[in-house]
Amino acid sequence: NNAIPVTVTSATAKVMKNTMMDYLACDSSKKFNRKYRGLELVNHGKFKLKDRPGFLDATSLEPISNKANAIQYYASQAYHGGYNICTEVGSFHYVTYDYDLKNAYPTAMCLVPDINWENPIRSEVAYRDLTLGDFKEDGRVNPIKPFVGYIRFKFPADVAYPCIPIIVDGVPVYPLTSDGMDGVYAAGPFIWLALKLGAHVYCDRGYFLNVLYRNDSSEVSRSLSAAVKQLVVDRNKAKREKGKGSLEELILKTMVNSGYGKTSQNVIQKTSWSAYKDCMESLGCSAITNPVSAMLITSIVQVVLIAAQNQIAAHGFMSCSVTTDGFISNCPMDILKGLDLYGICEYMKQARLYLTDGK
């Protein structure tokens, strides 16, 4: 007695939500929306139907508090999609390598903490410079410490690849400075890398966020990590029992790779054609859309790629093209494997090992 999902990706959102509800000990969508997304259903009264007698309830999911609303707005403004860029133009008459960041988005999803939406703001930053000390936790700098802010920045002139995106005519660009602008919304990982590259970052207003802990313990809650892991486990089982390339294995492969898209669906509002209504309409959010999670996932992947570009350049190699989760470069594999990516490599390795059971 369940409706069949229209697409594999909509099935992904449903499956991930169920896993996340179990992880978060939520026995209803109402509790899940509040705990994971910081949203609650608000009733706006009834409206009259146009083409037949009767009324319908007008409801919407809205932030549970003014603080939650502020964080979600900042995160939606700081969210950017994949990093796609051509940085060297021309014909290259030497050997190049096409490198791929394996399971880039699922790996990044394993690093994203849940936010304590009942008390989301850990500390507020207003009208001061940001430093690497702001990102310290337990005595060391944490590149994925959840932060979002409205900032201004300036990189040293010799930085090969600046890392803070701004939108110009709908397209993200990565300039050396925000001079000429009032400011730009930016996620914590971008700011962390900017500081590592020697940039001056001034914050008009920003927020370090409180993470959620499991069962009053010191274990950080990461429900997205549990959902991704379950899909990977299921895919491996399908590969063993049905064979690599089987329909079951390919569907689960698609589900593993499409989870991020459902997390970020409609964070930036998009429209799609409705044949039923014969018009364009809002795509709408998925069951697991979360602007803070989406912001952190994309910023982590982008930061890994831009950090690699900068360290490759420091070794005297080029990277001519980057496409979402990989790049083309003449940097040999042994040098690439030796990069620490300014410190975030360690975090990505641990997430990857978690997905692959230490293999």
Side-chain angles (χ1 to χ4, degrees), residues 313-330:
H315 280 84
F317 300 102
M318 68 83 177
S319 53
C320 59
S321 173
V322 185
T323 48
T324 306
D325 61 357
F327 53 86
I328 297 172
S329 173
N330 63 333

Side-chain angles (χ1 to χ4, degrees), residues 245-256:
S246 64
L247 178 61
E248 292 87 348
E249 192 265 336
L250 291 175
I251 287 175
L252 280 157
K253 179 180 179 181
T254 301
M255 293 176 79
V256 170

Side-chain angles (χ1 to χ4, degrees), residues 6-325:
V6 176
T7 64
V8 171
T9 54
S10 62
T12 302
K14 183 177 180 180
V15 169
M16 290 183 67
K17 179 185 174 183
N18 288 339
T19 303
M20 293 164 74
M21 285 178 67
D22 290 342
Y23 180 91
L24 293 167
C26 296
D27 57 10
S28 68
S29 292
K30 178 180 178 180
K31 291 181 180 178
F32 173 77
N33 285 330
R34 187 178 187 94
K35 194 168 187 178
Y36 172 67
R37 305 172 71 188
L39 301 175
E40 62 184 353
L41 195 66
V42 176
N43 195 318
H44 302 284
K46 297 183 181 294
F47 69 93
K48 192 177 185 308
L49 295 172
K50 292 180 180 180
D51 55 350
R52 60 185 185 275
F55 295 83
L56 279 179
D57 288 325
T59 60
S60 62
L61 282 170
E62 297 185 5
I64 63 174
S65 66
N66 185 56
K67 290 181 179 178
N69 182 60
I71 298 304
Q72 292 178 23
Y73 174 77
Y74 268 55
S76 66
Q77 296 300 304
Y79 165 78
H80 300 282
Y83 179 55
N84 295 279
I85 190 168
C86 175
T87 52
E88 299 278 351
V89 180
S91 177
F92 304 97
H93 300 278
Y94 45 79
V95 173
T96 60
Y97 308 92
D98 194 347
Y99 291 117
D100 177 69
L101 190 60
K102 194 120 179 173
N103 287 126
Y105 285 91
T107 302
M109 288 168 76
C110 291
L111 295 173
V112 173
D114 296 321
I115 302 303
N116 181 357
W117 289 110
E118 302 299 335
N119 181 28
I121 298 176
R122 181 175 179 177
S123 62
E124 185 175 340
V125 177
Y127 307 113
R128 70 169 176 85
D129 293 340
L130 286 167
T131 70
L132 286 171
D134 290 312
F135 289 85
K136 273 193 173 179
E137 275 187 342
D138 301 323
R140 66 172 185 167
V141 173
N142 179 4
I144 54 174
K145 186 175 179 179
F147 174 84
V148 61
Y150 190 70
I151 64 163
R152 284 169 283 180
F153 63 89
K154 187 170 185 177
F155 287 88
D158 61 351
V159 170
Y161 300 99
C163 62
I164 297 180
I166 63 172
I167 302 300
V168 178
D169 295 331
V171 177
V173 297
Y174 297 77
L176 282 167
T177 178
S178 61
D179 285 356
M181 299 181 65
D182 179 62
V184 59
Y185 292 95
F190 286 126
I191 296 169
W192 162 80
L193 181 57
L195 293 170
K196 293 291 282 188
L197 294 172
H200 173 246
V201 180
Y202 181 84
C203 182
D204 278 3
R205 187 167 299 276
Y207 305 98
F208 284 99
L209 308 182
N210 276 320
V211 299
L212 188 68
Y213 293 93
R214 298 198 71 192
N215 305 320
D216 298 322
S217 71
S218 59
E219 181 187 353
V220 175
S221 176
R222 290 186 172 89
S223 57
L224 275 176
S225 177
V228 173
K229 175 70 172 182
Q230 186 59 56
L231 289 174
V232 170
V233 168
D234 291 344
R235 182 191 173 191
N236 290 337
K237 182 179 179 182
K239 195 182 296 184
R240 287 193 311 271
E241 297 183 1
K242 302 294 183 179
K244 186 174 182 179
S246 64
L247 178 61
E248 292 87 348
E249 192 265 336
L250 291 175
I251 287 175
L252 280 157
K253 179 180 179 181
T254 301
M255 293 176 79
V256 170
N257 292 325
S258 62
Y260 152 70
K262 303 311 287 186
T263 301
S264 62
Q265 182 173 307
N266 221 46
V267 169
I268 297 177
Q269 190 170 23
K270 294 181 179 179
T271 57
S272 62
W273 177 257
S274 170
Y276 179 74
K277 296 181 179 179
D278 196 30
C279 66
M280 298 294 290
E281 64 177 1
S282 174
L283 182 62
C285 296
S286 82
I288 58 172
T289 294
N290 184 321
V292 172
S293 296
M295 172 195 75
L296 288 173
I297 295 164
T298 52
S299 61
I300 289 169
V301 175
Q302 286 206 34
V303 158
V304 169
L305 294 167
I306 299 172
Q309 280 190 292
N310 277 287
Q311 290 193 331
I312 286 169
H315 280 84
F317 300 102
M318 68 83 177
S319 53
C320 59
S321 173
V322 185
T323 48
T324 306
D325 61 357

